[in-house]
Amino acid sequence: MDDHEIYLREAIAIGRANIDAGGTPYGAVIVQNGRVIARAANQVHATHDPTAHAEALALREAGRLLGRAKLDDCIVYASGRPCPMCHAAMRLAGIGKAYFAFTAEQAAQHGAANAALYTELARPLDEQPMRVQHLFIADEPPPYAEWVERKRG
């Protein structure tokens, strides 16, 4: 058994244990240089926080432990294909590699909606079921130049 399989099996075990705790079968493990630095199970059921997905919680813990938001030297292992939110969070954290054991299509057969979300988000904004629109505010300059200046100190 190679390392990837070992870490995926651990993520699966975390997800299975989460079922017993009343949650969904999602677990995640984050590895840096061959060492597990964070583990998490989906906690939406316990916290009522819709963002408390296993991958997101593991990213938060890894960032806290490492003292940085960029986790480009880490690998994420997830029991199921990460949802679009978690996928985006991994990208924002600089994750270059992630592995998952079960597909979104497998999950969809049992009522999970991730596969449909990926399809919806690929459509133009005006064709998506949730309306997200740009509203120009003429008297408000974008704050990005101020942000860059502040970072320069």
Side-chain angles (χ1 to χ4, degrees), residues 82-131:
C83 74
M85 174 188 71
C86 292
H87 187 135
M90 288 187 281
R91 291 287 306 273
L92 289 169
I95 298 292
K97 287 185 181 179
Y99 299 89
F100 61 91
F102 304 110
T103 68
E105 292 74 20
Q106 287 173 303
Q109 292 174 352
H110 301 282
N114 290 355
L117 283 175
Y118 272 106
T119 301
E120 287 175 9
L121 291 173
R123 296 182 354 214
L125 285 177
D126 62 348
E127 293 178 18
Q128 294 182 19
M130 184 183 89
R131 294 291 180 229

Side-chain angles (χ1 to χ4, degrees), residues 43-53 57 60:
Q43 293 297 304
V44 172
H45 69 288
T47 64
H48 308 291
D49 174 354
T51 68
H53 291 199
L57 294 173
R60 290 176 194 147

